[in-house]
Each structure stands twice: as C-alpha cells, then as structure tokens.
Amino acid sequence: GNTISALKYLFKSILSRFKFAISFCFLGSIFLFSYVFLFLKYDYEDILKTVFQLSNINIQQSREAFKSNVLQILSDSLRYHHSVFWEVAEGELNETPTVLSIEKYTIQDYLTTYKYYDPLHPTNMQNQPTIQLIQQHHNIPLEKKRYYQDFFLKHNYYKDEMVMYLNDGQNSIAAIGFLRNKEEISFHRKDALKLSYVKKTLENVYLLHEKSKPQSLYHITMREEEL
C-alpha cells in the first residue's frame, strides 16, 4: 500500500512539473512570436533605407547642415517629423540646437524654464537606456514628470517625447529628441527598437563628421557648395 501511494505521489509530481514546463515554453513562444512579428515588412524597409541614407551622408558639410540632414532623413524614412538635435558636453545640452518642425519659442521655453524637469534631460538619465520613451522613464519623482508633461508638452501642443543619445565610448556627445503632437499617435517600444537599429550607424557618421573639416572652415558659400 505504501509503495502504491509513493508511486502515485511521484507520478503527480512529475505530471505537475511537466505541465509547468509546457506552460513556460508556451508563454516563451508567445513572447518570441510577438517580438519577432512586432515589425511589418515596411518597417524593415524603412530601417534599411535610413541606414543607407545615413551611411551616404556628406560628412564634410557644415555642422548645421549635417544635423539638419540627419533630422530630415529620420523624418522622411521613419516619420519622426518633430525633432531637435542637441550637442551634449559634461552632462549639459548646448543652447543652439538644430530643429525640425519645432517652434523657436518652444525651445526657448524649454531652455529657460523646463529642461531640468524633463525626464529625458542628461541630468535625469543616469543608468537609463540611451534610447528612452518618456512614459517608460521612472528615474525622477512622478510629480516632477507630470509637471513637465502638463505644463511644457501640453502647453506647446505636444503629447509625447522620446530621445536617442549618441555616444563616443561611454560618453554622451549628442542627443536627438523627438516629439509627437496631439494629432499623432504616441511613441511605442517599436519606435525605440527601430532607432536601436540605426543608432550605431548614426554614431559612426557623426563621429566622422566631427573629426573631419567642415566646409565652413574653408569659407565655402552656399552657392559654391551647389556648384
């Protein structure tokens, strides 16, 4: 009798573990399926197009022209239509960024009042991913984050924000901020994943550009550049 009871107990234990293993594998398969099929065909085409255009950008143009071209490529290929290209030094943003479809008064408002409330500002990004969505950032107090969203973003008719930092080794040397207005859909982890595929290419061409001699040093005019 004891032997039969022991065998029944052993059988139930094995069956329970088997069911757990099956459930675990099933859930893992669902996660992998959703991750792999997060992108559609046109998403892959957009990423390849972006990488190709960034790889062929003119690195010897002026700083302003280079950054404007980068923002335009990201707008045309990935549909990020409101963006700002900051230079970063010693954890601070430069005060004359290059912008695409963002009003000057919005940048001035940000710099004079709200930048340190921004969850995605360099001072608030310690130990955070270099590509970050504002809704996924939890490194600052919630009250501070809500203040920034309610009084800066909404006041300027935007509803969402994302950032991609460009690094030279462990140091952040630039940051590209992206905004979505009230008529656009909010950013999704899919957007961060897209940027992760183009980030290394952009870092490489930006570093090459910084180490090259821009045309402005040769005093080449816009007309001469066209010719």
Side-chain angles (χ1 to χ4, degrees):
N2 292 335
T3 302
I4 294 175
S5 297
L7 288 174
K8 287 182 178 179
Y9 176 81
L10 180 61
F11 178 77
K12 288 181 179 179
S13 178
I14 292 173
L15 183 62
S16 176
R17 292 182 183 182
F18 180 74
K19 287 180 178 179
F20 174 80
I22 292 295
S23 300
F24 182 82
C25 291
F26 178 71
L27 290 174
S29 299
I30 292 176
F31 175 79
L32 181 62
F33 180 86
S34 62
Y35 184 83
V36 169
F37 291 93
L38 187 65
F39 284 165
L40 300 174
K41 179 181 177 182
Y42 71 84
D43 293 315
Y44 292 107
E45 292 172 348
D46 290 344
I47 292 168
L48 290 173
K49 179 182 177 183
T50 305
V51 170
F52 176 79
Q53 291 183 335
L54 290 173
S55 299
N56 288 277
I57 197 170
N58 178 11
I59 63 171
Q60 292 191 322
Q61 59 189 321
S62 68
R63 279 188 171 186
E64 183 67 21
F66 176 87
K67 290 186 280 190
S68 292
N69 284 343
V70 167
L71 297 183
Q72 193 62 56
I73 289 171
L74 296 176
S75 175
D76 294 341
S77 300
L78 300 179
R79 291 170 290 282
Y80 300 136
H81 302 309
H82 310 279
S83 55
V84 52
F85 199 131
W86 306 90
E87 293 178 20
V88 179
E90 298 180 356
E92 189 53 81
L93 304 172
N94 70 309
E95 298 205 349
T96 54
T98 302
V99 300
L100 178 69
S101 300
I102 297 177
E103 299 78 5
K104 289 184 178 179
Y105 67 80
T106 300
I107 298 298
Q108 191 60 36
D109 196 25
Y110 177 86
L111 289 170
T112 57
T113 307
Y114 294 103
K115 66 178 181 179
Y116 293 124
Y117 291 95
D118 180 5
L120 306 185
H121 185 275
T123 58
N124 297 321
M125 283 288 291
Q126 295 91 343
N127 303 316
Q128 297 295 306
T130 54
I131 301 173
Q132 183 71 281
L133 280 62
I134 194 170
Q135 65 262 31
Q136 294 181 348
H137 188 284
H138 307 292
N139 211 34
I140 66 171
L142 183 59
E143 296 78 10
K144 191 175 180 180
K145 181 177 177 179
R146 284 178 175 170
Y147 176 80
Y148 177 78
Q149 291 175 305
D150 291 342
F151 288 90
F152 175 71
L153 290 181
K154 290 182 180 179
H155 176 73
N156 288 285
Y157 303 101
Y158 295 104
K159 69 175 184 179
D160 205 4
E161 181 180 341
M162 177 174 66
V163 71
M164 173 173 61
Y165 280 86
L166 305 182
N167 288 358
D168 182 5
Q170 298 298 317
N171 299 319
S172 294
I173 55 175
I176 301 179
F178 305 92
L179 296 173
R180 284 269 167 86
N181 63 30
K182 295 181 178 180
E183 284 72 43
E184 297 175 300
I185 61 172
S186 297
F187 291 116
H188 184 265
R189 63 190 181 96
K190 179 177 175 179
D191 293 291
L193 193 57
K194 282 183 183 180
L195 290 178
S196 71
Y197 287 116
V198 305
K199 181 176 182 288
K200 180 53 67 176
T201 300
L202 182 50
E203 284 175 334
N204 289 339
V205 295
Y206 182 68
L207 288 170
L208 285 173
H209 164 72
E210 287 295 291
K211 293 173 182 176
S212 69
K213 294 182 178 180
Q215 291 176 351
S216 58
L217 296 180
Y218 295 105
H219 307 291
I220 295 177
T221 64
M222 291 181 64
R223 178 58 181 163
E224 289 171 328
E225 184 177 352
E226 292 174 359
L227 296 174

